[in-house]
């Protein structure tokens, strides 16, 4: 409660300076010099005894210091506890003393309590005894000036009957304050007694124990000095007078010499156990890491060599075979049963060193020839051929060069694919089983070529028979190459100006296998050739942007359809326009075709190719072909474009084609190398339907395209997109599909246009390195009342009945004005189906907003042709009349035959004057 005055920081303690010590000053001069010499020898860092003594001195001093600190802390804690106990005892004694409660309840408490409080303070040795009123006003205090003043410290615990103790820092040092309540006979608090004691009044044990501690420390120092002198004498005798520095230097020199010599050194004891071995010996005989301490016969050496080393007998230049290495072994015994020393020398490496100078000179001549012969033209293929001609046979027995497809036409190489075209191959023989020039090479992950292209570094395969990644690419071809005798390979990426152009592979069959030293000349050859190839590519590259062309080739305003509500987006890549595109094409029978495609690459060629593909899709769609047939025709078209291309062929194209029929909710899809669609159900769930995938366009090689059929409920959303939406550098496609699923899941109830915006905001926050096309179509279904179907008997007499039923349906639709024209059209189409077609024959009428569609199907695939009848012909005018009375007509083939359809416009004046039409044509 701070009765002693304002709290201040504890007083600073002065640092104790230890007394200086020195050699004794008494006795003869010679004695003083001898003692001083011994003491200096004991304390010098070069003496082991001096170092031990200094260490022991530090330890003893640390122990003494620790003991003093511990005693001080213990004494301080004990003093605090004793002060707390004394103050509490005095406070409780004074509070419970007879007359204390009565004095507090009297009219003049101070007059009665002050004398007694001072007597108790002086006799008990405490610093103050203060009586307080229940409200905190002082009745007593050693300083009369403080009587009557209020104490602000909380004493609620004491008022509750629990003694309250506080430790604080006062101007006299750390103090303990105890406060207790005084109760009257009724148990009511009539006042408080607070007693304070400084800790220094009860401390003082440490001062009595310090002499004992210092005496023990002195004895310990004397014992340490004596032990150090004994140890120093023993070490001096055992080391021949060498100090630690000389011994360390000698050991370092011997160890450096032992491991630096080009001869193996093995030291064995008398029992044939290995004591010491240098690095060269470990390498020559392939010793295990834990060889020291083991018998030499258990180290896996050849029996003859192990027997010689274990015997310990002398030997000079004994030759032993260790693997492929010839070793010259010398053994010298150290003494009787003291062990032996053996030296090992590699004679095979001595012969190899003699030929290294010739190898280095040959490599310099090879690089000089490469600088003069590679890059004589600005033709990519010829430059690659020059690289193989320089490398064979001086560096390799065979050499092959593959370049990524864009480089061959002068385009920028892409990192999206590891497919490359082999454009050059040379060898010492022509019958090697390596793939010839012109082959499209597709390397799988794990292949040394793929590893080199991914890391940008050359890859050495010293033994192809052990290269699992290389053999997994084509096991049968790998087996033939190994059986042919090709045993090693180096694959070096062709990189120029930071771009990967392709790879070059060097193969050996007759020469020695490639080694790590061969990587440097291989990389130098590849670097020089890569610069020349890149110069040739840049010479033929186009520098034309195609933004205007790209925009003009994409659809402008999509048609309004009753079958679908469509939203669309196209975002060009950051590096320029590309070949992504989309389209919505109305088809007969209220059906709609949805198309999304992607041409690999950027620039003018990709945009122009996209325009040709979109035009071809429109033409094929006009024929009302199935999705798989359209993709098949596109594949043939791109193949022909590649064959006819004079400068740059298509490096790949993908397409997804879907046909939606609102009458049945049936959607037929087919895709060629393109990502499958996403489907958002009316309840908001998102799925990715499994659509069979065919190879990309132009590489299908005539393979059939499979289709998938979906049944779409009304208000479903079909999402078509290109790979730029879900694929990104550093992001796996599965991650992209997961992000697309999450984005679509949050678009419940959104329009197709809003859905497009939400998807792009979620998927392309930081832009895209590829262009993106996105098409979202919300499905609608025709009301069943808008469609009417009949099965027509194969009998001309059934035509009037069918015509009458159709007329009644038209009247029910409110299309009575079109009944006459419709009767003529369906009569002609049904009659032709009965006469020239086959069963089953069907008739379907569809009422779609501003049009009426009449469809007649039969079981044959023969298509009618429109022709003009002469004046003498009895027939031939039926289809002509159908064509004149309808807005358009055509034929659609199905799996079971064909459908002849005719679409009539329902706007005013569409039917026209049939009589005038007939007279005009006659």
């Amino acid at each position: 409660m701070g009765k002693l005055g304002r709290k201040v920081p504890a007083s600073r303690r002065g640092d104790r300076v230890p007394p200086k010590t020195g050699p004794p000053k008494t006795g003869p001069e010679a004695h003083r010099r001898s003692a001083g010499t011994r003491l200096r020898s004991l304390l010098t860092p070069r003496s082991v005894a001096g170092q031990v003594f200094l260490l022991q001195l530090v330890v003893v001093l640390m122990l003494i210091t620790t003991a003093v600190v511990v005693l001080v802390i213990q004494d301080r804690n004990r003093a605090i506890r004793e002060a707390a106990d004394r103050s509490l005892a005095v406070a409780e004694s004074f509070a419970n003393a007879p007359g204390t409660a009565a004095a507090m309840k009297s009219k003049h408490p101070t007059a009665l309590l002050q004398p007694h409080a001072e007597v108790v303070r002086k006799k008990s040795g405490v610093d103050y005894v203060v009586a307080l009123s229940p409200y905190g006003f002082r009745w007593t205090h050693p300083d009369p000036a403080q009587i009557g003043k209020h104490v602000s410290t909380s004493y609620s615990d004491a008022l509750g009957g629990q003694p309250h103790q506080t430790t604080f820092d006062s101007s006299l040092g750390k103090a303990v304050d105890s406060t207790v309540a005084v109760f009257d006979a009724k148990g009511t608090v009539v006042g408080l007694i607070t007693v304070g004691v400084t800790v220094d009044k009860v401390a003082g044990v440490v001062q009595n124990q310090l002499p004992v501690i210092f005496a023990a420390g002195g004895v310990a120092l004397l014992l340490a000095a004596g032990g150090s002198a004994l140890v120093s004498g023993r070490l001096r005798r055992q080391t021949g007078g060498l100090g630690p520095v000389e011994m360390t230097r000698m050991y370092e020199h011997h160890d450096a010499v032992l491991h630096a010599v080009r001869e193996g050194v093995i030291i064995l004891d008398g029992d044939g156990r290995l004591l010491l071995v240098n690095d060269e010996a470990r390498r020559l005989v392939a010793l295990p890491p834990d060889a020291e301490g083991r018998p030499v016969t258990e180290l896996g050496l050849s029996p003859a060599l192990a027997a010689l080393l274990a015997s310990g007998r002398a030997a000079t230049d004994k030759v032993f075979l260790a693997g492929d290495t010839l070793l010259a072994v010398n053994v010298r015994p150290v003494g009787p049963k003291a062990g032996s020393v053996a030296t090992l020398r590699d004679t095979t490496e001595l012969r190899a060193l003699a030929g290294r100078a010739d190898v280095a000179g040959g490599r310099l001549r090879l690089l000089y020839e490469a600088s003069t012969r590679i890059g004589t033209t600005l033709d990519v293929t010829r430059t690659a051929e020059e690289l193989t001609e320089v490398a064979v046979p001086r560096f390799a027995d065979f050499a092959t060069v593959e370049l990524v497809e864009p480089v061959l036409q002068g385009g920028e190489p892409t990192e999206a694919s590891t497919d490359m075209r082999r454009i050059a191959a040379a060898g010492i023989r022509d019958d090697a089983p390596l793939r010839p020039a012109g082959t499209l090479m597709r390397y799988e992950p794990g292949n040394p070529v793929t590893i080199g292209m991914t890391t940008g570094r050359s890859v050495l395969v010293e033994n192809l028979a052990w290269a699992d990644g290389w053999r997994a690419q084509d096991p049968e071809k790998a087996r033939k190459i190994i059986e042919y005798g090709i045993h090693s390979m180096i694959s070096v990426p062709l990189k120029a100006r930071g771009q990967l152009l392709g790879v070059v592979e060097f193969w050996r069959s007759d020469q020695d296998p490639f080694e790590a030293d061969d990587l440097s000349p291989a990389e130098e050859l590849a670097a020089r050739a890569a610069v020349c190839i890149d110069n040739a590519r840049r010479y033929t590259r186009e520098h034309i942007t195609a933004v205007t062309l790209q925009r003009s080739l994409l659809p402008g305003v999509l048609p309004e359809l009753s079958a679908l509500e469509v939203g669309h987006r196209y975002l060009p890549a950051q590096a320029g326009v590309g070949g992504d595109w989309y389209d919505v094409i109305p088809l007969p029978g209220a059906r709609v075709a949805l198309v999304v495609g992607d041409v690999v690459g950027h620039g003018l060629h990709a945009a122009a190719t996209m325009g040709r593909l979109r035009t071809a899709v429109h033409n094929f769609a006009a024929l009302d072909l199935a999705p798989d047939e359209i993709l098949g025709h596109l594949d043939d078209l791109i193949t022909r474009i590649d064959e006819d291309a004079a400068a740059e062929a298509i490096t790949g194209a993908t397409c997804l084609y879907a046909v939606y029929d609102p009458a049945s909710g049936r959607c037929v899809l087919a895709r060629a190398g393109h990502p499958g669609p996403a489907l958002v159900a009316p309840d908001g769930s998102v799925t990715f339907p499994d659509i069979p995938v065919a190879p990309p366009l132009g590489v299908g090689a005539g393979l059939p395209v499979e289709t998938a059929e979906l049944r779409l409920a009304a208000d479903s959303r079909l999402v078509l997109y290109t790979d730029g939406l879900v694929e990104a550098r550093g992001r796996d496609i599965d991650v992209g599909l997961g992000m697309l699923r999450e984005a679509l899941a949050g678009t419940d109830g959104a329009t197709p246009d809003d859905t497009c915006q939400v998807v792009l905001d979620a998927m392309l926050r930081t832009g895209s390195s590829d262009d993106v096309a996105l098409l979202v179509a919300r499905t609608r279904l025709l009301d069943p009342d808008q469609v009417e179907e009949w099965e027509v008997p194969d009998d001309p007499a059934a035509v009037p009945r069918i015509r009458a039923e159709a007329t009644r349906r038209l009247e029910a639709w409110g299309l009575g004005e079109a009944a006459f024209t419709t009767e003529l059209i369906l009569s002609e189409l049904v009659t032709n189906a009965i006469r020239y077609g086959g069963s089953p024959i069907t008739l379907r009428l569809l009422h779609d907003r501003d049009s009426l569609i009449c469809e007649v199907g039969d079981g044959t695939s023969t298509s009618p042709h429109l022709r003009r009848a002469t004046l003498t012909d009895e027939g031939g005018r039926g289809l002509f009349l159908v064509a004149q009375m309808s807005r358009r007509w055509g034929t659609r083939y199905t799996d079971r035959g064909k459908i002849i359809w005719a679409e009539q416009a329902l706007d005013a004046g569409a039917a026209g004057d049939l009589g005038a039409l007939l007279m005009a044509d006659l």
Side-chain angles (χ1 to χ4, degrees), residues 42-192:
L42 192 64
L43 298 178
T44 178
R46 295 174 54 86
S47 171
V48 176
Q51 295 176 4
V52 173
F53 173 74
L54 290 177
L55 176 61
Q56 291 180 347
L57 176 62
V58 171
V59 172
V60 171
L61 291 177
M62 289 181 62
L63 291 175
I64 295 173
T65 304
T66 303
V68 172
V69 171
V70 171
L71 286 175
V72 170
I73 294 175
Q74 288 180 349
D75 183 69
R76 177 64 62 177
N77 293 336
R78 182 197 58 76
I80 292 174
R81 289 195 301 270
E82 184 175 341
D85 294 341
R86 181 181 297 182
S87 65
L88 181 60
V90 173
E92 288 181 344
S93 299
F94 193 86
N96 295 320
T100 301
M104 289 182 174
K105 293 173 66 177
S106 66
K107 292 182 179 182
H108 303 285
T110 301
L112 298 176
L113 295 175
Q114 176 71 7
H116 296 287
E118 287 301 304
V119 171
V120 171
R121 178 178 68 82
K122 294 176 181 179
K123 290 185 177 182
S124 62
V126 300
D127 291 280
Y128 60 84
V129 177
V130 178
L132 303 174
S133 71
Y135 303 101
F137 293 95
R138 295 189 182 96
W139 284 331
T140 66
H141 196 277
D143 183 5
Q146 300 296 326
I147 296 175
K149 293 185 179 180
H150 186 266
V151 177
S152 61
T153 306
S154 175
Y155 47 84
S156 58
D157 291 343
L159 291 175
Q162 296 293 332
H164 178 76
Q165 288 188 319
T166 303
T167 302
F168 61 95
D169 293 326
S170 68
S171 59
L172 301 178
K174 185 175 292 293
V176 178
D177 179 274
S178 298
T179 302
V180 298
V182 180
F183 297 92
D184 60 6
K186 296 179 181 181
T188 304
V189 177
V190 296
L192 299 169

Side-chain angles (χ1 to χ4, degrees), residues 522-709:
E523 292 170 351
E524 184 66 21
L525 285 174
R528 300 192 181 196
V531 173
C532 297
I533 292 174
D534 190 62
N535 290 336
R537 177 188 66 83
R538 289 172 176 267
Y539 181 77
T540 58
R541 186 181 61 185
E542 298 176 320
H543 295 282
I544 303 174
T545 62
V547 175
T548 304
L549 176 62
Q550 173 74 10
R551 290 297 186 183
S552 64
L553 293 176
L554 287 173
V557 179
L558 297 180
E560 294 185 4
L561 305 167
S562 60
L564 295 170
E565 179 186 358
V566 180
H568 57 90
R569 290 287 190 280
Y570 172 77
L571 293 180
Q574 294 177 345
V577 298
D580 289 13
W581 57 283
Y582 60 89
D583 213 338
V584 178
I585 306 173
L587 297 177
R591 296 171 301 122
V592 181
L594 303 173
V595 193
V596 174
D598 183 7
V599 177
V600 174
H602 297 85
L604 177 62
H605 180 68
T609 303
M610 178 272 292
R612 300 175 72 176
L613 285 179
R614 182 167 177 258
T615 302
V617 169
H618 271 270
N619 293 333
F620 293 139
L623 300 177
D624 208 354
L625 300 177
D628 53 341
E629 296 182 37
I630 288 182
L631 293 184
H633 288 299
L634 291 178
D635 184 71
D636 295 338
L637 172 64
I638 292 184
T639 301
R640 291 195 299 272
I641 292 175
D642 282 343
E643 293 173 354
D644 298 337
E648 183 175 358
I650 299 174
T651 58
T654 64
C655 183
L656 188 149
Y657 192 93
V659 176
Y660 174 68
D661 185 358
S664 60
R666 178 173 174 263
C667 184
V668 181
L669 305 95
R671 60 179 177 135
H674 200 84
L679 179 61
V680 184
D683 60 356
S685 60
V686 182
T687 59
F688 293 93
D690 186 14
I691 310 299
V693 59
L697 302 176
V699 297
L703 296 177
V705 179
E706 298 182 29
T707 61
E709 179 177 330

Side-chain angles (χ1 to χ4, degrees), residues 198-368:
T198 55
V199 176
D200 292 339
K201 289 189 175 183
V202 294
V205 177
V206 175
Q207 290 80 353
N208 299 328
Q209 295 180 356
L210 286 179
V212 178
I213 295 175
F214 288 123
V219 174
L221 288 177
L222 292 176
L223 293 176
S228 299
L230 294 176
V231 171
S232 177
R234 184 176 181 84
L235 288 177
R236 189 175 294 108
R237 290 191 300 272
Q238 291 181 348
T239 59
L242 295 176
V245 176
E246 290 83 0
M247 294 179 62
T248 301
R249 184 181 299 112
M250 181 182 296
Y251 173 80
E252 291 174 348
H253 291 171
H254 290 177
D255 186 74
V257 172
L258 179 67
H259 293 286
V261 296
R262 294 293 295 168
E263 287 190 359
V265 178
I266 296 177
I267 300 177
L268 304 130
D269 63 7
D271 298 328
R273 293 182 179 274
L274 190 63
L275 295 179
L276 183 65
V277 60
N278 68 348
D279 296 337
E280 183 68 9
R282 289 183 184 276
R283 185 186 68 84
L284 292 175
V285 293
L287 291 176
D290 58 343
E292 284 84 349
R294 296 170 56 184
V296 71
T297 55
E298 298 178 4
L299 299 179
L301 306 179
S302 63
L305 177 58
L308 174 62
L309 296 177
S311 65
R313 64 177 182 272
T316 302
D317 290 335
K318 294 290 185 180
V319 179
F320 297 89
L321 181 63
D324 298 329
T325 305
L326 287 177
L327 298 178
V329 181
N330 292 272
V331 181
R332 292 292 182 271
V334 176
K337 294 186 178 182
S340 59
V341 177
T343 59
L344 311 163
R345 187 174 65 256
D346 186 0
T347 59
T348 57
E349 288 191 356
L350 294 177
R351 289 197 300 266
L353 288 174
R356 289 188 177 179
D358 294 336
V359 173
R363 289 177 177 174
L364 289 176
R365 290 190 296 270
L366 173 66
L367 296 179
Y368 173 79

Side-chain angles (χ1 to χ4, degrees), residues 731-802:
R731 184 180 71 190
D732 191 77
I733 186 173
D734 292 334
V735 177
L737 292 176
M739 295 174 59
L740 178 60
R741 183 193 301 273
E742 294 178 1
L744 291 174
T747 60
D748 190 18
T751 64
D753 196 75
D754 293 340
T755 302
C756 291
Q757 191 60 47
V758 170
V759 169
L760 293 181
D761 292 342
M763 302 293 293
L764 305 178
R765 295 188 180 95
T766 59
S768 175
S769 59
D770 194 6
D771 46 345
V772 176
L774 178 62
L775 191 64
V776 179
R778 185 194 297 275
T779 60
R780 298 169 180 161
L781 289 178
L782 294 180
D783 193 304
D785 192 55
Q786 294 179 264
V787 183
E788 188 67 35
E789 283 188 275
W790 295 273
E791 290 187 3
V792 181
D794 191 6
D795 184 6
V799 175
R801 178 179 62 81
I802 296 299

Side-chain angles (χ1 to χ4, degrees), residues 690-734:
D690 186 14
I691 310 299
V693 59
L697 302 176
V699 297
L703 296 177
V705 179
E706 298 182 29
T707 61
E709 179 177 330
L710 304 177
R711 292 287 180 175
L712 304 182
D715 205 36
S716 299
R717 279 174 291 168
L718 191 65
V719 182
L720 310 181
Y721 52 89
T722 55
D723 58 356
L725 182 68
V726 295
E727 292 184 358
R729 184 174 303 175
R731 184 180 71 190
D732 191 77
I733 186 173
D734 292 334

